[in-house]
């Protein structure tokens, strides 16, 4: 029995439709997060994710195996997200595809003073995760999408570029800026995880 | 050539992704050895990426998978019917 991804796809196309459940399972999370990075609303993202998966099923025969299945599926998810975004924003044609990187803005990291490597346990704190979620949600769209595909879904630069329809250079620039904006936003949370150093009379420095 | 901090910051992301060329990489590493500020920026950025990749940070809605497969099962069933009718 063929159980590789390509094998699964061939079997589904040959009529073993039920196997589509199995094919999609490893990518469910990715599809949802992609939609969420575009529409930022849980319910709509879930509806969109379902629609994207159904679309992938209906169009499976057009998957030629030139791209990876994950990239192909991500492209479908992105298209679904953009479609929904356009609908919710009315007919305003300023689509997200047209957004360019702004040359304004500060993309330098926040320098930290009195830093020591934060212990791994500190990364376990819930507040830190919550702060990261908020900071990612507040990134400008073009940065959030690249960051999501690259650092959350772990697509490589080429795959990210392909899925978003931009060039690899733009992926690198946007990713760098996204990471620096997040670093700046999260530094206060990261810093407080280090124990305060005591100065004279027990005051924290 | 000695790198200044700002130059290192510009390449931090690529340094993390290991896409800087060997020469620049060496220069950055040299700089990091004696610059606490840049080392701290690098560490903190890396920590953010570790946290991002942690499945618990970005969670799926409860019941998402079940609902997805239920919807999919419906779709598969209806496409089954369609192909029988053809």
């Amino acid at each position: 029995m063929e159980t590789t991804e390509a094998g699964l796809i061939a079997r589904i196309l040959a009529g073993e439709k039920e196997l589509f459940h199995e094919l999609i399972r490893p990518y469910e999370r990715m599809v949802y997060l992609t939609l969420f990075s575009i529409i930022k609303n849980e319910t709509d993202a879930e509806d969109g994710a379902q629609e994207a998966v159904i679309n992938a099923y209906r169009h499976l025969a057009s998957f030629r195996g030139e791209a990876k299945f994950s990239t192909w599926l991500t492209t479908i998810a992105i298209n679904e997200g953009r479609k929904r975004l356009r609908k919710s924003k009315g007919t305003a044609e300023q689509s997200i595809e047209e957004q360019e990187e702004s040359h304004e803005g500060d993309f330098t990291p926040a320098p930290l003073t009195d830093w020591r490597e934060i212990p791994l346990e500190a990364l376990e704190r819930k507040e830190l995760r919550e702060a990261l979620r908020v900071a990612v949600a507040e990134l400008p769209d073009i940065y959030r999408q690249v960051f999501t595909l690259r650092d959350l879904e772990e697509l490589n630069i080429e795959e990210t570029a392909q899925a978003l329809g931009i060039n690899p250079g733009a992926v690198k620039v946007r990713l760098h800026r996204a990471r620096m904006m997040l670093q700046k936003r999260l530094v206060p949370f990261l810093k407080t995880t280090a124990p305060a150093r005591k100065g004279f009379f027990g005051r924290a420095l | 050539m000695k790198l200044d901090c700002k130059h290192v910051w510009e390449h931090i992301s690529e340094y993390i992704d290991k896409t800087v060329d060997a020469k620049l990489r060496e220069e950055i590493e040299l700089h990091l050895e004696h610059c606490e500020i840049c080392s701290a920026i690098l560490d903190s950025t890396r920590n953010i990426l570790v946290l991002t990749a942690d499945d618990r940070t970005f969670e799926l809605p409860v019941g998402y998978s079940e609902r997805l497969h239920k919807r999919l099962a419906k779709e598969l069933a209806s496409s089954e019917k369609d192909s029988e009718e053809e």
Side-chain angles (χ1 to χ4, degrees), chain A residues 70-96:
Chain A
S70 57
T71 314
W72 182 76
L73 184 59
T74 304
T75 310
I76 293 178
I78 289 169
N79 289 339
E80 180 64 31
R82 287 176 174 173
K83 198 175 85 191
R84 280 166 186 261
L85 199 63
R86 275 195 295 270
K87 231 183 237 170
S88 73
K89 284 189 175 165
T91 47
E93 274 306 301
Q94 159 60 351
S95 66
I96 45 171

Side-chain angles (χ1 to χ4, degrees), chain B residues 4 31 43 57 60 64 78:
Chain B
D4 60 19
H31 179 99
D43 277 349
T57 304
L60 303 179
Y64 161 75
S78 76

Side-chain angles (χ1 to χ4, degrees), chain A residues 20-29, chain B residues 65-66 68-69:
Chain A
F20 194 78
H21 285 284
E22 205 179 310
L23 176 69
I24 214 75
R25 221 173 275 279
Y27 304 112
E28 287 170 18
R29 180 177 161 80
Chain B
S65 182
E66 290 76 12
L68 176 69
H69 285 276

Side-chain angles (χ1 to χ4, degrees), chain A:
Chain A
M1 267 302 159
E2 187 66 84
T3 53
T4 62
E5 196 166 87
L8 270 181
I9 292 170
R11 286 173 63 191
I12 295 162
L13 291 174
E16 291 181 74
K17 291 173 179 173
E18 290 300 319
L19 289 176
F20 194 78
H21 285 284
E22 205 179 310
L23 176 69
I24 214 75
R25 221 173 275 279
Y27 304 112
E28 287 170 18
R29 180 177 161 80
M30 196 189 78
V31 173
Y32 174 80
L33 293 174
T34 301
L35 262 301
F36 188 75
S37 80
I38 299 172
I39 28 195
K40 295 202 281 180
N41 167 297
E42 273 194 23
T43 314
D44 291 346
E46 178 166 345
D47 280 352
Q50 290 186 0
E51 209 54 47
V53 167
I54 304 276
N55 269 330
Y57 169 69
R58 289 181 182 158
H59 296 100
L60 190 62
S62 71
F63 172 65
R64 303 260 176 250
E66 286 144 8
K68 275 163 72 179
F69 179 69
S70 57
T71 314
W72 182 76
L73 184 59
T74 304
T75 310
I76 293 178
I78 289 169
N79 289 339
E80 180 64 31
R82 287 176 174 173
K83 198 175 85 191
R84 280 166 186 261
L85 199 63
R86 275 195 295 270
K87 231 183 237 170
S88 73
K89 284 189 175 165
T91 47
E93 274 306 301
Q94 159 60 351
S95 66
I96 45 171
E97 296 98 297
E98 288 157 10
Q99 279 184 27
E100 296 280 336
E101 292 96 282
S102 144
H103 295 284
E104 288 156 34
D106 181 5
F107 303 110
T108 56
L112 300 122
T113 48
D114 189 24
W115 165 269
R116 58 211 88 159
E117 184 125 22
I118 59 173
L120 276 178
E121 313 85 77
L123 288 178
E124 293 293 311
R125 293 185 325 153
K126 273 192 187 152
E127 310 90 84
L128 193 52
R129 274 194 225 124
E130 176 58 26
L132 179 58
R133 273 195 292 273
V134 172
V136 170
E138 287 174 0
L139 284 175
D141 294 348
I142 58 169
Y143 300 125
R144 190 180 55 257
Q145 285 161 20
V146 167
F147 180 80
T148 300
L149 295 189
R150 188 73 186 89
D151 287 338
L152 189 48
E153 299 177 14
E154 298 175 331
L155 268 61
N156 67 30
I157 289 176
E158 283 298 328
E159 290 160 359
T160 305
Q162 208 178 343
L164 287 169
I166 58 178
N167 65 56
V171 171
K172 286 188 193 171
V173 170
R174 292 178 191 187
L175 183 63
H176 175 73
R177 291 178 173 180
R179 286 170 172 175
M180 292 303 103
M181 284 189 260
L182 293 175
Q183 191 269 357
K184 193 169 259 179
R185 275 291 303 274
L186 290 168
V187 152
F189 296 92
L190 290 168
K191 264 211 298 211
T192 53
T193 58
R197 212 179 339 142
K198 298 289 184 204
F200 284 121
F201 310 116
R203 279 179 307 172
L205 284 177

